């Protein structure tokens, strides 16, 4: 789980499997809670949800009470710039939220598992990065690309809790979804996507499938 306070700061949280039946009915995404009697430990996970080096553990004596706290937003996505990812300011062991417009569709493999779609994203600073999404995320993005063949709109995507995949051999630096936890939004009614739309000043991809089933694309501003 990811917990967020009123400042938008995130920390990871987890619990043992035997505690699922007790806490699952008490927690919902977007709810505000007073949580007491938790254990705070150093995180040894391969990927952290924030720069905080600690993890919250729910234990048997942990209590959860839902409260009305309108000052706590339902969710805040702190967007990491592509420049920070490329320069190394954003550390590979910390998950990031990114938003950008598709400027090129590189690969679509959706016939047989493992499904994957790879695109090139660009932000309003004219910085580009490769994004690869897998499995259900790949099918979701592939469907959006195919539908866009008919409506011809810009495709702005946001990927949350994405991992930074460092370059290796022939594979360039990229961002990818994690198996559990990432969320992919394509032209969704999300504040960060709307803000990107409103400030868009870079060329963007418009395209889909051509009549032969290949990728067609064009650039616009």
């Amino acid at each position: 789980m990811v917990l967020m306070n009123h400042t938008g700061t995130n920390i990871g949280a987890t619990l043992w499997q035997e505690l699922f039946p007790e806490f699952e009915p008490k927690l919902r995404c977007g709810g505000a809670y007073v949580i007491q009697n938790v254990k705070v430990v150093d995180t040894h996970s391969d990927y952290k949800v924030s720069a905080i080096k600690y993890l919250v553990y729910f234990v048997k004596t942990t209590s959860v009470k839902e409260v009305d706290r309108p000052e706590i937003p339902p969710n805040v996505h702190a967007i990491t710039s592509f420049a920070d990812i490329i320069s190394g300011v954003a550390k590979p062991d910390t998950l990031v939220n990114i938003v950008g417009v598709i400027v090129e569709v590189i690969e679509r493999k959706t016939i047989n598992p493992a499904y994957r779609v790879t695109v090139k994203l660009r932000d309003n600073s004219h910085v580009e990065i490769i994004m690869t999404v897998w499995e259900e995320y790949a099918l979701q993005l592939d469907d959006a690309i195919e539908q866009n063949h008919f409506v011809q709109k810009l495709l702005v995507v946001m990927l949350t809790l994405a991992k930074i995949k460092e370059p290796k051999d022939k594979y360039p630096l990229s961002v990818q979804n994690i198996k559990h936890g990432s969320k992919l939004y394509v032209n969704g009614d999300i504040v960060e996507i709307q803000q990107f739309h409103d400030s868009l000043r870079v060329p963007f991809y418009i395209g889909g499938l051509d009549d032969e089933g290949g990728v067609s694309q064009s650039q616009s501003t």
Side-chain angles (χ1 to χ4, degrees), residues 124-158:
N124 274 336
S125 299
H126 292 270
V127 180
E128 296 178 346
I129 201 165
I130 301 298
M131 181 186 76
T132 297
V133 289
W134 299 82
E135 301 302 350
E136 68 265 28
Y137 304 92
L139 297 177
Q140 178 187 349
L141 183 56
D142 182 74
D143 183 63
I145 292 170
E146 185 167 357
Q147 290 186 28
N148 201 54
H149 175 63
F150 303 101
V151 297
Q152 297 285 292
K153 298 194 303 183
L154 74 164
L155 293 178
V156 175
V157 303
M158 182 170 73

Side-chain angles (χ1 to χ4, degrees), residues 16 97 128:
W16 296 113
N97 304 317
E128 296 178 346

